[in-house]
Amino acid sequence: MSLVIENGLVVTMDKQRRILEKGTIAVDNGKITNVEKTSEVKRKHKAERVIDARGRIVLPGLICSHTHLYGMLLRGAHLEIDPPSDFSQILQRVWWPMDEAMTTSDAYASALIGCLDFLKSGTTCFADTYSGPNSIHLSLDYIARAVKQVGIRGILAYEATERHDPEEGVKGIKENVRFIEKIAKGREEKVKGMFSIHASFTVSDQLMKSVRQLADKYKAPTTIHTSEGLGDLYHNIEKYGKRTVERLFDVGVLGSDVVLAHCVQLNDDEINIVRKTGAKVAHNPMSNMLNAVGVAPILKML
């Protein structure tokens, strides 16, 4: 089917960053074939369906660089817990008990809800990390099924952690490897795999080194929560005598294929390390406000 969306304010996001005040997008058989001023496209295309976008903005799908789809299950939840006083207590009293209660069916249901919510907001691609120590094996398959049913794109990982014991970290890494290999064999277009490390305060240097080696082997990206709260920073200073990003750098985990989530408690030296290694930063303002962890130095990082 051919489609023309005409007369809109088109934000192209092309190499020239063009913004067309009266722009038109032509689509044939589900693929965009032309993005130009309305007058130019009208001469070339006669579409079966025409949408007049006058007074509206037309832009590419948004990308969410860090999310936890299973968090949708807590939306509006009544929590009968002692009020947490800091981020560490939020993890201990809210997220970690939820993680341990998760099943693969819960992973599927929450992914379905999350993907539909993304689609409604114009987000068509996301990177997700799942955590459920009692539902590790095949969890990414259940999440991938939801992504494909909704029809958007997802980069999926299980969040490796040694919170309980080192074996838990090994199982998490194995789930990522299994999924990445499965996706490679199936030549999936909408779903990809990646590696996820929970955070430096719940993993050893050895786990991070193992993930770095596997990421190189499979040419897959890696994501890790980085100095989201002060607990992460203090853990590394007290145990290793280094700030969080300094430890990640010394371990060798950083690179242009790594996405550091949050990065709230970074100083200038750490920002320079991030820049030097080419690592990327995922900014999570809503989460940072909900957890009261602070405000990331976004202007400095830019």
Side-chain angles (χ1 to χ4, degrees):
M1 182 180 186
S2 58
L3 165 70
V4 163
I5 304 170
E6 61 183 21
N7 298 320
L9 179 67
V10 177
V11 181
T12 65
M13 292 304 293
D14 62 11
K15 289 181 180 179
Q16 289 76 41
R17 294 292 195 265
R18 291 180 304 153
I19 296 177
L20 309 177
E21 287 193 21
K22 282 191 176 180
T24 287
I25 299 171
V27 181
D28 288 307
N29 296 320
K31 295 203 173 186
I32 295 173
T33 56
N34 207 342
V35 180
E36 293 295 344
K37 292 181 179 177
T38 296
S39 56
E40 296 176 17
V41 176
K42 270 190 170 181
R43 293 197 302 267
K44 304 174 186 176
H45 291 270
K46 290 184 179 179
E48 297 168 77
R49 185 184 178 201
V50 177
I51 296 175
D52 189 349
R54 198 182 311 269
R56 300 185 182 187
I57 299 171
V58 187
L59 69 162
L62 303 174
I63 297 172
C64 174
S65 54
H66 179 77
T67 189
H68 302 282
L69 292 175
Y70 73 101
M72 294 295 287
L73 299 180
L74 275 184
R75 180 177 283 184
H78 176 65
L79 302 176
E80 296 182 357
I81 60 172
D82 291 332
S85 62
D86 59 25
F87 181 55
S88 295
Q89 289 187 355
I90 291 174
L91 290 174
Q92 292 163 3
R93 298 179 188 180
V94 180
W95 288 109
W96 289 349
M98 181 188 182
D99 290 355
E100 290 167 18
M102 290 291 292
T103 67
T104 50
S105 294
D106 296 329
Y108 167 72
S110 56
L112 203 57
I113 298 167
C115 288
L116 288 170
D117 210 47
F118 270 144
L119 196 60
K120 286 167 62 179
S121 69
T123 302
T124 58
C125 181
F126 65 89
D128 174 70
T129 63
Y130 174 71
S131 180
N134 298 313
S135 57
I136 298 176
H137 185 55
L138 299 179
S139 58
L140 298 182
D141 289 10
Y142 282 84
I143 297 170
R145 178 153 61 98
V147 177
K148 289 187 280 189
Q149 280 180 293
V150 175
I152 61 177
R153 292 178 292 151
I155 306 168
L156 313 179
Y158 183 86
E159 191 175 86
T161 178
E162 294 172 306
R163 190 169 84 233
H164 295 99
D165 53 58
E167 183 60 26
E168 182 182 4
V170 172
K171 288 179 180 177
I173 294 173
K174 283 183 177 178
E175 173 63 8
N176 289 316
V177 169
R178 181 198 65 79
F179 185 71
I180 289 169
E181 290 180 345
K182 178 182 177 181
I183 292 299
K185 291 176 184 174
R187 297 182 180 177
E188 292 279 359
E189 292 185 355
K190 295 289 178 67
V191 178
K192 300 293 181 186
M194 66 175 175
F195 290 95
S196 173
I197 301 167
H198 171 247
S200 63
F201 64 93
T202 62
V203 299
S204 62
D205 286 358
Q206 185 53 51
L207 184 142
M208 289 194 283
K209 289 176 181 178
S210 296
V211 169
R212 177 70 266 176
Q213 291 169 358
L214 289 167
D216 290 338
K217 176 181 176 180
Y218 289 99
K219 294 181 171 54
T222 301
T223 189
I224 178 171
H225 298 87
T226 305
S227 280
E228 179 177 0
L230 286 170
D232 191 4
L233 174 62
Y234 294 160
H235 168 84
N236 289 298
I237 291 175
E238 290 171 8
K239 188 170 182 179
Y240 299 95
K242 306 170 185 177
R243 295 179 67 90
T244 307
V245 172
E246 292 172 338
R247 179 182 166 209
L248 297 180
F249 177 73
D250 288 346
V251 168
V253 74
L254 298 180
S256 60
D257 57 351
V258 174
V259 176
L260 307 175
H262 301 282
C263 290
V264 176
Q265 310 295 337
L266 265 58
N267 67 8
D268 290 352
D269 289 341
E270 290 177 292
I271 291 172
N272 283 329
I273 291 172
V274 174
R275 179 188 59 78
K276 181 171 67 174
T277 58
K280 312 301 186 294
V281 173
H283 181 38
N284 307 87
M286 183 182 291
S287 171
N288 296 341
M289 287 188 288
L290 279 169
N291 292 320
V293 293
V295 179
I298 294 302
L299 294 180
K300 278 189 175 183
M301 287 193 273
L302 288 172

